[in-house]
Amino acid sequence: MARNIYGLDLGSYEIKVYDKKKDAIWKEKDVIAIANKKEVFAVGDEAFEMYEKAPANIQVVFPMKHGVISRFDHMQYLLQGLLKKDRGFARGAEYVIAVPTDVTEVEKKAFFDLVIHSTARAREVNIVERGIADAVGLNLDVQNTKGLFIVNLGGETTELSVLAGGGIVLNRLLKVGGITLDHAVAQLVRYNHDFLIGRVTAEILRKRFGVFSEDNTASMTVAGRDLITGVPQQREISISLVRAAVKEPLEECVRGIESLLDRTPPEVRKAIYKNGIFLTGGLANLPGLEVYMEEMTGIRVRTAIDPDICAVTGLKQIIQSKELKKLAYSMLDENYRWMR
């Protein structure tokens, strides 16, 4: 019986999984709820339902921080729990993991160790840089194209990757993502209205209004707490306030793109100007972001059809193709003997 193969894209906010046997992609929130500081109460979407609503004895935590594993044991338990959750999980499977591009080799190895040392008893674990997985998921000719620029806008980070000839030429990891924008919205609402809203409410506002449209007069009524009286209330928040809040974090992303382009070799940069910039990641769904990025950079910008699952779609294609499978590698190779 052929063993199963899983593709894993472990984001700060969501875990995306490709199951080869079922030929299906599914995703769940990358979060775990812990009762009394020791007992795991819930994982995934079930745990996220408790976020900002849990009683004092239950702590809701995200085991990933800025794209890397910050709580290894919690992350291992979460992954094992999600794979077993009504999905016919089998031990001895093979795994292909998308890892952040601009992190240390030790941080990359943490993703490898997460699976290889778990109760999953993985038979084989290979890793792929997320920028390459994104490019494959975009159906781009990764191995032959002279210059590609991928911007993966995730929950807590933005990964910038310049690709050429099937490899990473330059990369940079910015600590800016959807959660950064949500905190900016919540802080500006607090500053302007003395009104406290949660991050989930700020996320709803951000997704509703986006960054660019013809309508500049819209507003939305949200629930929160008046900081002067301490009484729960509902307050109308304008589209202009939300867009003012997200402007600064997005400008940081644009500066990062321009800085990386300045360092890109001329031939590769010329190809990028011809091919354009490609947006992936969950934040790429933000209304008007493509138009905003294009106006700010002066380069054509295109968004993946399903940007939130673009990387795991790339892992699916890598798993299914003998030619593309060469893009994945194991940290048991000779090049990584020093890390064993």
Side-chain angles (χ1 to χ4, degrees):
M1 184 177 175
R3 65 181 184 270
N4 199 8
I5 304 177
Y6 294 98
L8 304 179
D9 180 20
L10 308 176
S12 300
Y13 194 54
E14 275 188 332
I15 293 177
K16 278 79 71 176
V17 181
Y18 167 65
D19 184 330
K20 184 183 180 184
K21 191 169 285 186
K22 294 184 178 180
D23 193 27
I25 291 173
W26 50 268
K27 59 183 180 179
E28 282 215 31
K29 291 289 189 289
D30 192 349
V31 63
I32 189 168
I34 304 163
N36 304 315
K37 297 185 178 179
K38 57 183 178 179
E39 178 189 346
V40 176
F41 190 81
V43 298
D45 291 346
E46 188 180 340
F48 187 74
E49 286 294 319
M50 306 175 70
Y51 185 59
E52 296 183 337
K53 307 170 193 170
N57 68 316
I58 296 178
Q59 184 184 15
V60 179
V61 298
F62 292 82
M64 299 274 290
K65 189 71 177 172
H66 294 136
V68 296
I69 302 167
S70 63
R71 296 169 179 253
F72 190 87
D73 292 341
H74 289 158
M75 189 68 209
Q76 201 167 63
Y77 190 97
L78 169 60
L79 183 61
Q80 289 164 190
L82 293 182
L83 288 173
K84 290 176 183 176
K85 198 174 177 181
D86 303 323
R87 294 190 174 100
F89 168 72
R91 292 184 178 184
E94 183 182 333
Y95 293 81
V96 182
I97 309 172
V99 298
T101 307
D102 187 22
V103 296
T104 67
E105 298 298 328
V106 173
E107 286 169 332
K108 285 181 184 178
K109 191 170 185 295
F111 287 90
F112 179 87
D113 290 340
L114 177 73
V115 177
I116 204 77
H117 297 311
S118 73
T119 56
R121 294 180 184 172
R123 183 170 302 196
E124 187 179 348
V125 177
N126 292 298
I127 63 175
V128 181
E129 267 79 13
R130 187 173 284 123
I132 291 177
D134 271 326
V136 174
L138 283 158
N139 293 318
L140 301 173
D141 188 353
V142 181
Q143 292 169 310
N144 298 312
T145 305
K146 292 180 180 178
L148 295 169
F149 200 119
I150 310 293
V151 180
N152 183 304
L153 300 125
E156 280 192 333
T157 60
T158 294
E159 291 182 45
L160 311 178
S161 303
V162 174
L163 283 66
I168 303 285
V169 177
L170 290 169
N171 54 71
R172 188 176 175 191
L173 186 73
L174 304 175
K175 293 181 179 179
V176 177
I179 293 171
T180 317
L181 271 62
D182 298 338
H183 284 155
V185 170
Q187 285 174 4
L188 198 59
V189 168
R190 179 174 183 157
Y191 180 81
N192 279 24
H193 296 290
D194 289 317
F195 191 63
L196 184 67
I197 61 172
R199 194 184 66 74
V200 174
T201 303
E203 181 183 10
I204 292 168
L205 284 166
R206 186 249 301 169
K207 288 182 174 179
R208 167 76 179 272
F209 293 141
V211 293
F212 191 92
S213 75
E214 298 299 323
D215 187 2
N216 293 313
T217 59
S219 63
M220 182 177 176
T221 302
V222 298
R225 180 163 57 87
D226 189 299
L227 290 171
I228 296 174
T229 64
V231 177
Q233 288 184 357
Q234 288 194 330
R235 194 74 61 86
E236 201 171 87
I237 307 299
S238 70
I239 187 172
S240 58
L241 187 143
V242 174
R243 290 188 174 167
V246 303
K247 183 181 178 183
E248 187 175 335
L250 289 177
E251 284 178 347
E252 186 178 341
C253 290
V254 172
R255 287 194 296 271
I257 292 169
E258 291 172 341
S259 173
L260 204 62
L261 278 171
D262 287 342
R263 292 165 47 206
T264 302
E267 285 299 313
V268 178
R269 186 165 62 239
K270 182 180 178 182
I272 289 170
Y273 274 91
K274 180 183 176 182
N275 296 324
I277 294 172
F278 297 88
L279 304 184
T280 70
L283 187 58
N285 279 315
L286 193 63
L289 183 61
E290 183 179 295
V291 175
Y292 172 83
M293 287 289 190
E294 193 164 296
E295 287 196 355
M296 294 295 285
T297 62
I299 304 172
R300 182 176 57 160
V301 176
R302 287 178 281 180
T303 305
I305 295 173
D306 294 304
D308 54 330
I309 59 168
C310 186
V312 76
T313 301
L315 294 179
K316 171 184 175 179
Q317 293 181 38
I318 289 168
I319 287 168
Q320 292 178 341
S321 166
K322 287 183 179 179
E323 184 66 27
L324 292 174
K325 215 164 186 180
K326 297 172 186 174
L327 297 170
Y329 59 93
S330 171
M331 292 197 118
L332 295 178
D333 291 347
E334 287 298 308
N335 291 340
Y336 294 94
R337 286 185 66 185
W338 63 277
M339 298 187 73
R340 294 178 199 170

